[in-house]
Amino acid sequence: MHVIGGLVVLASAMPAMLPAQSGEFLVRLGRDTLAVERYTRTPDRLEGEQVVRSPRTVHRLYTATFGPGGALERFELITHNVSGGPGPLERKATATFSGDSVVMTIPRDDSAATMRVKTGPGALPYIGQGYALVEEVARRARAAGGDRYTGTMLPLGTDEPWKVEVSRLGADSLTLQIGPIGPLRMRVDERGTLLGLSGSGSTMQVTVERVEGLDFDALGKSFAPRSLGALSPSDSTRASVAGADVAVRYSRPSMRGRVIFGNVVPWNQVWRTGANQATILETSADLTVAGTAVPAGKYSLWTIPSPTGWKLIVNKNTGQWGTEYDARYDLARLDMKVESLPQPVEQFTIAIEPKGKRGVLKLEWDKTRASIPLSAK
């Protein structure tokens, strides 16, 4: 079932008889190639393969089988570890879709686990950087018509289906939200064929191009020994400020040739101040931050970058993903000092600099430094 402009539309909105089509996608994160993919779609099958380079390089083969009405019946994913890292050389996952539920067989260490998840009719699987499946969503949205479309995707191995929302922007453009991923801006043709995608400024900062003539086998071999690792590795910084033990735990995205502020990080919007999980500040004693009392304890840190100044948000909610900001838990919103740096900082960095009985919390990325004073209360 799908909702379009408030109307309920059943799986008949799916494109039941697609002409055979092949395609290739090049996925970039800034200047780095993150993945390549090629696929073939016939009326009853979608077959493809990917090479994905993070956190290690893997080669994936997938097959989706569709029923007469266009609903997915079975999905198989085989993953090969081609980077030489630890773990099995091959892993296989399957998912059988029937009615409003799916039964998955997922590798777990040296064995396999079976799980049943209720998804609702017409669900599709989600695999990281798998854009032939994203194109499948766009095709369904085009077939349904209207300005809005909703559906469901299920990340393999999880028991939480993701709501999919597609909105029409123009004759050849759509916006897409897949659970916590997005909003993504897609260029499509009249059938929903994915021509390009941009996640700039969203929770998935990739760009995707539809290309022709990829030397897929050669690229796969060249990428095998050149994994990108974790795209935003976790890190921490710790210092003693007038006897208070102050620590920050965060993730560190890199520039990768991109313009950061006003682009990757939009102006005048709440930013997770890093990547992945919400950034955490913990202090063993009461602090004063820019003149505001911050009692001993644990907090999440958020920022609102702006061309005219930054604000630091100290929030009492912790343990959440970095997109799950809730202003109801704000302890304070504080002005930060902003400076331009002579040279760009490639990887986002947070530092705590003690200065006698005081300290400074510094955020640096690209050519910007934002800072705020700390002191023991």
Side-chain angles (χ1 to χ4, degrees):
M1 176 174 70
H2 308 288
V3 179
I4 306 163
L7 299 178
V8 175
V9 180
L10 300 178
S12 59
M14 300 173 192
M17 293 299 294
L18 288 169
Q21 183 180 36
S22 297
E24 299 175 327
F25 296 120
L26 181 65
V27 185
R28 289 193 178 97
L29 184 62
R31 61 171 174 257
D32 294 323
T33 298
L34 177 57
V36 290
E37 179 180 7
R38 63 182 176 185
Y39 75 94
T40 299
R41 178 68 157 97
T42 61
D44 62 350
R45 288 173 74 85
L46 169 64
E47 296 181 298
E49 61 181 319
Q50 300 170 280
V51 176
V52 183
R53 300 177 64 198
S54 177
R56 61 184 180 182
T57 304
V58 295
H59 174 239
R60 294 173 177 157
L61 298 167
Y62 60 81
T63 304
T65 305
F66 298 88
L72 181 62
E73 293 183 340
R74 190 175 189 276
F75 185 77
E76 178 180 282
L77 177 67
I78 299 173
T79 303
H80 298 109
N81 174 5
V82 296
S83 66
L89 295 179
E90 180 178 291
R91 298 166 70 91
K92 180 178 179 180
T94 61
T96 301
F97 293 76
S98 179
D100 64 353
S101 64
V102 57
V103 176
M104 293 179 287
T105 302
I106 305 296
R108 292 279 190 264
D109 299 324
D110 295 329
S111 60
T114 299
M115 55 194 303
R116 178 184 292 272
V117 179
K118 188 171 183 179
T119 60
L124 292 168
Y126 176 83
I127 57 175
Q129 308 308 328
Y131 291 97
L133 288 165
V134 170
E135 180 177 86
E136 200 70 27
V137 172
R139 286 181 177 275
R140 293 184 177 191
R142 281 299 207 203
D147 293 333
R148 293 191 303 115
Y149 169 90
T150 65
T152 304
M153 297 189 85
L154 179 67
L156 291 187
T158 73
D159 59 1
E160 295 185 9
W162 285 350
K163 182 179 180 181
V164 175
E165 297 179 287
V166 181
S167 298
R168 181 175 178 174
L169 290 180
D172 63 351
S173 58
L174 304 170
T175 60
L176 170 68
Q177 184 79 34
I178 308 173
I181 297 172
L184 308 173
R185 297 182 300 279
M186 299 190 293
R187 290 187 299 107
V188 297
D189 66 12
E190 68 280 357
R191 295 186 305 171
T193 304
L194 180 60
L195 306 177
L197 178 149
S198 172
S200 181
S202 78
T203 59
M204 177 76 78
Q205 297 275 352
V206 299
T207 58
V208 180
E209 294 179 67
R210 189 179 194 90
V211 295
E212 295 181 0
L214 280 181
D215 191 341
F216 195 92
D217 295 332
L219 285 171
K221 289 179 181 177
S222 71
F223 290 155
R226 297 190 293 125
S227 298
L228 294 178
L231 298 177
S232 300
S234 58
D235 204 346
S236 63
T237 182
R238 182 182 298 270
S240 178
V241 178
D245 188 12
V246 182
V248 175
R249 299 191 301 277
Y250 68 112
S251 294
R252 303 184 64 192
S254 295
M255 288 181 63
R256 303 182 189 274
R258 301 171 293 176
V259 174
I260 299 303
F261 297 108
N263 180 36
V264 172
V265 178
W267 293 125
N268 303 309
Q269 296 181 26
V270 174
W271 177 42
R272 68 178 81 186
T273 315
N276 303 328
Q277 295 286 127
T279 294
I280 297 298
L281 177 142
E282 191 167 5
T283 174
S284 65
D286 295 351
L287 292 178
T288 298
V289 181
T292 296
V294 176
K298 187 185 296 185
Y299 304 88
S300 56
L301 295 182
W302 314 76
T303 45
I304 303 178
S306 165
T308 58
W310 283 42
K311 286 192 178 294
L312 177 72
I313 302 173
V314 182
N315 186 279
K316 293 178 284 187
N317 196 17
T318 61
Q320 71 273 44
W321 194 248
T323 57
E324 298 173 4
Y325 166 71
D326 191 336
R328 293 177 300 173
Y329 297 96
D330 282 358
L331 176 70
R333 290 191 173 200
L334 307 168
D335 291 331
M336 304 187 77
K337 178 183 178 181
V338 181
E339 305 168 78
S340 295
L341 301 173
Q343 297 296 326
V345 174
E346 170 65 24
Q347 192 172 30
F348 177 61
T349 301
I350 298 180
I352 304 168
E353 182 180 329
K355 291 187 174 182
K357 294 184 178 182
R358 298 179 178 272
V360 178
L361 177 70
K362 295 181 178 180
L363 317 177
E364 295 183 346
W365 202 14
D366 200 342
K367 289 188 175 183
T368 297
R369 173 189 292 145
S371 61
I372 198 162
L374 313 172
S375 62
K377 190 175 178 182

